[in-house]
Amino acid sequence: MAHPDFYKILGVTRSASEDDIKKAYRKLARKYHPDLNPGNKDSEAKFKELTEANEVLSDGEKRKNYDTYGDPAGPAAPSAQGFSYDEFDSGGGMGGSFQDLFRGFGSKGTRRRPGPKPGEDTQHTVRIGFKDAFHGTKLTLSLQRSETCPACQGSGDQPGSHPTTCAACGGRGYREEGSGFFRTRQECPACSGTGKKAAPCPSCQGRGRIPKAESVTVAIPAGVEDGTRLRVAGKGEAGRRGGGPGDLYLQIQVEPDPRFERRGPNLYLDLPISFSEAALGTKVEIPTPEGHSTIKIPPGTQSNANLRLKGLGMPIPGSGQRGDLFARIKVVTPKIVDERSKELLRELAELNDAAIRENAWR
């Protein structure tokens, strides 16, 4: 039986390496996989061709026979090895063996070897005050997490017990549902895909982990912003079968200070001043995160002007630098009740109001 040109199907040369073949197959399989082209018979046929070509060219012995005799089974084989789309157990979506297809080529996705499994990451929300965010602080957290079971070393198996074939999956490591193109495989929950099951460890009931209460001290850097996510390595859940622990992530919430508006490392505050202070200029004491500072108001300062105090904002974590503090000027219109004040303002208006409008319209 004549076989198609598998190299041409995958778009590679006859000198292509195994990695080149796998890369070509992966690229084309993503394009033509039936899960991504439901009801498209041409894509289904193309996917079968690609898979057959990959099965031959990624197998050293089959490729050698194909290159030498034109048949992957060798000179004595009466026909080519058949292809069954069912081997790929396509489901109705992106799960099942479609994921296995891109995890490793040549694998049937049936039985998973027991190996180290890292622990899960955990998240903890902490709320700190504005001053703690400015200066930095240390928090001591009481955590409920897990640690590796010392009796079974995280395997979940009773020490000294001998694994036997999993009765739930018959040793296959998976369960099948559906039929034909819509058949899917799911990892057996009883044996976690290993196909073997031993007596559970009495100390951890087969979980490989035991609960643990722990206090963890965490340094919060100066200048931390609201919404920052800090990682504490190795303080998540314990791993299984020798896998490392996960990490703890702290979600930081910073309480606002009613005096300041924060924009990154810069701080803004509203500074109310009178007509006379704006017109004649003055010096005003304003609050800062560390106490108070004096700011100079130049004569003729207008409302909504921003006056900067360099380096009096929030620390920038890890840089040794600080942002700036900006005073937003708000010229306050007074309520005049006494006649003497009204008289003085009328005199001021006669001297200045017309000139103000004349300059504005030039």
Side-chain angles (χ1 to χ4, degrees), residues 89 96-97 100 108-112 166-179 182-195 197:
D89 300 312
S97 59
D100 295 336
K108 301 299 181 183
T110 55
R111 179 179 298 175
R112 181 167 58 82
C166 175
C169 64
R172 295 177 298 177
Y174 63 89
R175 292 179 176 179
E176 292 187 342
E177 296 180 0
S179 61
F182 300 98
R183 192 172 70 208
T184 61
R185 288 181 181 175
Q186 303 294 334
E187 180 183 279
C188 175
C191 64
S192 299
T194 64
K197 189 168 178 62

Side-chain angles (χ1 to χ4, degrees), residues 243-262:
D247 299 326
L248 167 65
Y249 287 90
L250 297 183
Q251 192 75 26
I252 307 298
Q253 295 181 352
V254 180
E255 295 177 356
D257 188 304
R259 301 170 298 173
F260 305 111
E261 175 190 348
R262 181 173 182 179

Side-chain angles (χ1 to χ4, degrees), residues 16-190:
S17 67
E18 184 177 346
D19 286 340
D20 292 336
I21 291 170
K22 288 183 178 181
K23 289 178 182 178
Y25 175 54
R26 177 179 297 183
K27 179 180 178 180
L28 293 170
R30 285 184 185 275
K31 180 179 180 181
Y32 292 104
H33 195 283
D35 284 349
L36 301 180
N37 301 274
N40 190 325
K41 298 298 183 180
D42 292 338
S43 292
E44 180 183 325
K46 181 66 175 178
F47 183 73
K48 291 181 178 181
E49 287 184 353
L50 292 169
T51 304
E52 183 180 13
N54 178 68
E55 284 188 340
V56 172
L57 299 185
S58 62
D59 185 298
E61 186 65 26
K62 290 181 180 180
R63 183 178 180 181
K64 181 179 179 181
N65 287 335
Y66 176 73
D67 290 343
T68 304
Y69 306 107
D71 193 318
S79 63
Q81 178 180 349
F83 166 79
S84 172
Y85 174 67
D86 289 345
E87 291 181 7
F88 289 87
D89 300 312
S90 173
M94 293 292 290
S97 59
F98 184 45
Q99 292 176 338
D100 295 336
L101 172 66
F102 300 109
R103 291 195 187 108
F105 298 95
S107 169
K108 301 299 181 183
T110 55
R111 179 179 298 175
R112 181 167 58 82
R113 293 183 179 180
K117 185 176 182 180
E120 300 86 356
D121 295 332
T122 58
Q123 181 168 301
H124 192 81
T125 300
V126 295
R127 190 172 181 85
I128 63 175
F130 181 85
K131 287 186 177 180
D132 285 338
F134 179 82
H135 295 287
T137 187
K138 288 187 176 181
L139 299 179
T140 300
L141 308 175
S142 297
L143 304 178
Q144 293 292 330
R145 51 187 297 265
S146 63
E147 66 176 359
T148 300
C149 175
C152 66
Q153 298 300 308
S155 68
D157 300 337
Q158 181 178 345
S161 64
H162 298 286
T164 58
T165 300
C166 175
C169 64
R172 295 177 298 177
Y174 63 89
R175 292 179 176 179
E176 292 187 342
E177 296 180 0
S179 61
F181 287 168
F182 300 98
R183 192 172 70 208
T184 61
R185 288 181 181 175
Q186 303 294 334
E187 180 183 279
C188 175

Side-chain angles (χ1 to χ4, degrees), residues 215 294 312 337:
S215 293
T294 300
L312 292 187
V337 293

Side-chain angles (χ1 to χ4, degrees), residues 213-274:
E214 182 178 1
S215 293
V216 178
T217 300
V218 181
I220 307 297
V224 66
E225 292 192 55
D226 183 69
T228 298
R229 196 166 181 248
L230 298 180
R231 173 176 170 264
V232 185
K235 293 302 179 180
E237 299 295 346
R240 296 182 177 90
R241 299 186 295 276
D247 299 326
L248 167 65
Y249 287 90
L250 297 183
Q251 192 75 26
I252 307 298
Q253 295 181 352
V254 180
E255 295 177 356
D257 188 304
R259 301 170 298 173
F260 305 111
E261 175 190 348
R262 181 173 182 179
R263 299 181 187 174
N266 296 327
L267 297 175
Y268 294 79
L269 63 81
D270 290 335
L271 177 58
I273 62 174
S274 67

